[in-house]
Amino acid sequence: MALTRKGAARRRSRNNALERPEYGWIWKPLLALLVIYLVVCLGLGIWWSRTPASFDVEQAVVEQRGASSGSTAARGAVTTAALMTLVETLLEKPGGYLRNDLAPPGLWLDNMPAWELGVLSQARRLARSLPAMEQTSAPQLQTVKARLMTDSRDWLYPGTEKHLAQALDGLKDYLDSLGEGGDAAFGNQGQGLTAWLEAITGSLDELGRRLTASIGSRDELRDLNIDTEALPARTPWYRVDDVFFESRGQAWALMHLLEAVRRDQADVLASAGVSKRWEQLVAELQSSQRRLWSPLVLNGSGFGIFANHSLVLANYLVRARDLARQITTSLGEVTAVSAPTTSESPGSKAQPSENASEQPPIDTGDGSASAKGENAGQGASGGEASAGKGDTPVETAGQGSGDSASEPNATSPSSPN
C-alpha cells in the first residue's frame, strides 16, 4: 500500500507540473535584457550629448562648394557655407536631430535638445536677415527662411529633419548662384548687417537675463550691468541646465556666423573701424565654449565650494553684448553717412520690410506657431524654452571708438574660395 501511495503521489506531481508549469525562471533573462538595454541607452545618451567640435569657416566653403571651390565666389559665400554647416551639424552629429525624438534614449535627454534649439535660433535669425543682405532678388532665401521657421518638435512627416534638409538644399542653390558668373552677391555697403547685429545684441541681452535669473542674490549682478528689475522669475532648479545649454548652443552658432561675416565683410568692417572689436566679440564667444568639467550644471554662489556655471557664462555673453552694441553703433554711423551717396539696390530697398515689418511664424516649442514683429534692439527669448520642460517662452526677434586694423581680405569683396 505504501508503494502504491508513493507511486500515485509521483504521478500527481508529474501531472501538476505539466498542467500548471512554474514560470519563475523567465524573469531572469528578461531582467538581463532590461539591464543590457539600459546600459546601451546610457552609453548612447552620453555619446549623443557630446557637443560637436567647432569648424573652420574657410574650410566649410571648400567642402560646401565641392567641385566649384577652385573658382572665385562672390561676397556672401563664406556666410552661406557657415550657415549650411550649422544645419548639417544638427542633422549629422551623433544621434542626429534629437529634439523631436519620441523614443529612448533621445526622449530622456534634455541638454543636447536644448543646445540644438540654441543653434537653430541663431540659424533662423540669420536666415531672416539674409534677404536684406543680398543685393538681388534671391527666391531661395525665402524658401530657406520658411523651412527653418517650422516647429522644431515636428515628428510627423514631414518632420523637422525634412524641413532642415529642404533648407539645406535651398542654401546649396543659393551658394551655387554666388559662384563665378552668378548674379547673386551680398551688397558691398554692408546692407542688412546693422539690423542683424541689432538682433544679435538683443538675443545676447536676453540670454544674459535668463542665465542670471537662476541666481538667488541680486547683489551678485551689479558688475554685469543687468537691470535686476527686468529679470524674469527665478529659473526652477530642474531647468537651469536647459537654459545653460541653450545659451551655449546660441553662442556656438553665433561664433561661427560672426567669423564668416568677418571674412565676407572685411572691407566694410575695416572702413567702419570695428575690425578689432569684431575679433574681440568672436573671442568672447569662443571663451564661452570652454569645456565644462562638471557632469552637472552647478548653481553655487559667492566663494562657496560649488561653482555657478550660469553666472560665468552670463559674464561672457554680457561682454559680447556690449561689444556687439558698440559695433552696431559704429556701423550705423558709417551707413548713415554713406547712404545718401550710394545708389540703392533692390536688396537695400527690400531691407525695411525684411527687418522691420515682417512677422514670420514663431516656433513656440509646443507644436503651435505665433507671430511676433522683429523689433531691433529688444530682447528675445531665443526661440523656445529648453527641451523637455513644456513651458516655453515665445521667441521675439530683434535681439539684440573704432579700430582700423586690416583684415586678410579687406581689399577684396569676394571670398578667396
Side-chain angles (χ1 to χ4, degrees):
M1 287 295 293
L3 293 175
T4 303
R5 286 195 298 270
K6 290 181 180 178
R10 285 195 296 269
R11 287 193 297 272
R12 284 195 300 272
S13 178
R14 287 195 296 268
N15 291 337
N16 290 336
L18 292 174
E19 294 174 359
R20 294 185 294 275
E22 296 181 3
Y23 298 101
W25 58 273
I26 294 181
W27 68 271
K28 295 180 180 179
L30 291 179
L31 179 60
L33 289 176
L34 179 61
V35 171
I36 294 173
Y37 173 74
L38 293 177
V39 170
V40 171
C41 287
L42 177 62
L44 288 176
I46 295 174
W47 181 33
W48 292 357
S49 296
R50 294 177 60 88
T51 303
S54 59
F55 58 89
D56 181 75
V57 293
E58 290 286 354
Q59 183 62 29
V61 180
V62 177
E63 295 176 356
Q64 298 297 346
R65 296 189 69 201
S68 303
S69 59
S71 60
T72 303
R75 184 194 299 266
V78 184
T79 303
T80 305
L83 181 56
M84 292 177 64
T85 306
L86 292 184
V87 177
E88 279 188 349
T89 300
L90 292 175
L91 292 173
E92 299 178 0
K93 63 180 178 59
Y97 186 77
L98 302 176
R99 187 162 177 77
N100 60 350
D101 279 11
L102 297 178
L107 179 63
W108 297 338
L109 304 178
D110 61 349
N111 291 344
M112 179 51 64
W115 185 90
E116 292 172 345
L117 171 61
V119 175
L120 184 58
S121 297
Q122 287 299 335
R124 289 169 170 173
R125 193 163 287 114
L126 178 60
R128 288 197 296 266
S129 301
L130 281 179
M133 297 180 181
E134 170 58 40
Q135 64 180 357
T136 62
S137 177
Q140 306 98 320
L141 297 180
Q142 298 296 337
T143 301
V144 170
K145 181 173 66 174
R147 295 296 178 266
L148 290 179
M149 292 303 299
T150 56
D151 188 355
S152 66
R153 292 186 182 276
D154 282 344
W155 58 272
L156 286 174
Y157 185 86
T160 304
E161 292 89 345
K162 181 66 174 179
H163 293 308
L164 293 178
Q166 291 172 345
L168 200 57
D169 293 338
L171 288 170
K172 176 62 177 175
D173 293 340
Y174 178 66
L175 183 61
D176 292 340
S177 67
L178 289 171
E180 191 172 12
D183 296 330
F186 280 14
N188 58 7
Q189 298 296 327
Q191 289 91 335
L193 188 56
T194 302
W196 180 59
L197 286 172
E198 288 174 345
I200 288 174
T201 302
S203 69
L204 292 173
D205 188 45
E206 179 65 20
L207 288 175
R209 288 199 295 267
R210 293 177 62 195
L211 286 167
T212 53
S214 64
I215 301 173
S217 175
R218 297 305 192 229
D219 294 338
E220 301 176 26
L221 306 180
R222 294 173 181 172
D223 297 334
L224 289 180
N225 191 23
I226 291 178
D227 183 10
T228 57
E229 300 297 330
L231 289 179
R234 184 172 182 180
T235 307
W237 64 268
Y238 56 86
R239 290 192 55 203
V240 170
D241 59 333
D242 297 341
V243 176
F244 178 86
F245 279 98
E246 181 185 345
S247 302
R248 289 258 288 192
Q250 290 207 37
W252 184 86
L254 190 55
M255 171 183 69
H256 294 97
L257 295 179
L258 286 169
E259 180 63 22
V261 171
R262 186 178 73 87
R263 305 297 179 93
D264 278 328
Q265 306 282 10
D267 54 341
V268 176
L269 301 181
S271 64
V274 296
S275 299
K276 283 293 184 183
R277 288 178 181 170
W278 197 281
E279 292 178 0
Q280 294 171 2
L281 173 58
V282 175
E284 290 292 344
L285 294 174
Q286 289 174 341
S287 298
S288 71
Q289 300 302 305
R290 292 177 178 175
R291 183 171 182 179
L292 179 66
W293 292 98
S294 172
L296 300 174
V297 176
L298 301 179
N299 192 26
S301 60
F303 291 99
I305 60 175
F306 296 111
N308 192 317
H309 296 128
S310 297
L311 184 59
V312 173
L313 182 58
N315 271 279
Y316 290 120
L317 297 187
V318 168
R319 286 201 294 265
R321 175 205 64 187
D322 294 339
L323 287 168
R325 186 171 294 159
Q326 295 170 12
I327 293 172
T328 303
T329 302
S330 299
L331 282 174
E333 293 173 353
V334 172
T335 304
V337 171
S338 61
T341 61
T342 304
S343 60
E344 292 186 347
S345 63
S348 62
K349 291 180 180 179
Q351 181 175 344
S353 64
E354 291 295 336
N355 296 282
S357 61
E358 181 182 10
Q359 295 184 348
I362 301 303
D363 178 11
T364 61
D366 57 0
S368 62
S370 62
K372 281 283 183 180
E374 183 149 348
N375 302 315
Q378 294 181 1
S381 64
E384 303 169 296
S386 305
K389 304 303 179 187
D391 47 345
T392 57
V394 178
E395 172 179 325
T396 56
Q399 272 83 351
S401 67
D403 301 304
S404 58
S406 60
E407 297 296 328
N409 58 345
T411 59
S412 172
S414 62
S415 167
N417 294 309

